[in-house]
Amino acid sequence: MGAIQEPTPEMGPYRVEMRSESFYLTRTEADVETTAAPTRYQAKVPGADLPALLAALDQVLTHPWWPKWERPALGEEPDTSWVLPPGEEGSAPHPRWTAVSDGEAVVITGPWVVHHELRENRRHLLSSEVCYRDVEVLKAELEKATS
């Protein structure tokens, strides 16, 4: 069970739900024209979203419980088996994060599963689960994409 955090104004359309070892990251108003999940392990977001996305990650990093969550050992390769498709068919994602600017958008690839869904025939959501161990690396990759 998680705890939905109150979004800050800087987070724009992004929302965070904290859990014990990971958090859910959701973008509301994720219309398919500008926001998508091109593959199971990718999200495409407008480049203008980067400040809001970074603010969402900052909300995780500044949470009072942040120092208590487990961290990987130095040099330890992350286990990405939890993101395999049902039946363990298909390939696992690369364990490293990348954020590549693609004109007006940024394509984010990493050890997560991205879902694009239509709720109630009107509200599009792009959501994923991110392990706490990945937050700082993901943030660094997104910061590189802003420059």
Side-chain angles (χ1 to χ4, degrees):
M1 177 166 222
I4 297 173
Q5 303 301 294
E6 185 68 34
T8 65
E10 294 81 17
M11 291 169 58
Y14 289 89
R15 305 294 179 261
V16 170
E17 180 180 346
M18 311 291 279
R19 303 181 70 230
S20 61
E21 296 175 3
S22 61
F23 67 98
Y24 292 122
L25 178 63
T26 301
R27 187 195 194 280
T28 61
E29 304 163 25
D31 66 278
V32 293
E33 300 291 322
T34 59
T35 311
T39 71
R40 181 177 176 83
Y41 308 124
Q42 289 183 316
K44 178 181 171 187
V45 299
D49 273 18
L50 287 179
L53 189 49
L54 288 167
L57 296 180
D58 282 340
Q59 186 177 59
V60 174
L61 292 169
T62 58
H63 191 280
W65 290 358
W66 175 252
K68 298 177 185 179
W69 284 310
E70 210 175 300
R71 300 292 189 282
L74 188 61
E76 177 184 352
E77 285 292 320
D79 174 15
T80 58
S81 62
W82 65 276
V83 297
L84 287 173
E88 297 186 19
E89 295 175 12
S91 60
H94 193 278
R96 303 282 180 248
W97 291 93
T98 60
V100 179
S101 181
D102 179 16
E104 299 274 323
V106 174
V107 177
I108 306 162
T109 306
W112 61 353
V113 177
V114 180
H115 304 279
H116 186 265
E117 58 185 278
L118 175 63
R119 290 261 175 103
E120 302 161 6
N121 295 325
R122 59 182 168 79
R123 195 174 89 172
H124 290 271
L125 300 175
L126 188 73
S127 63
S128 185
E129 183 176 1
V130 180
C131 290
Y132 292 127
R133 64 183 291 142
D134 293 333
V135 177
E136 292 165 316
V137 175
L138 173 56
K139 183 177 178 193
E141 285 298 313
L142 293 172
E143 287 171 338
K144 283 187 220 173
T146 62
S147 24

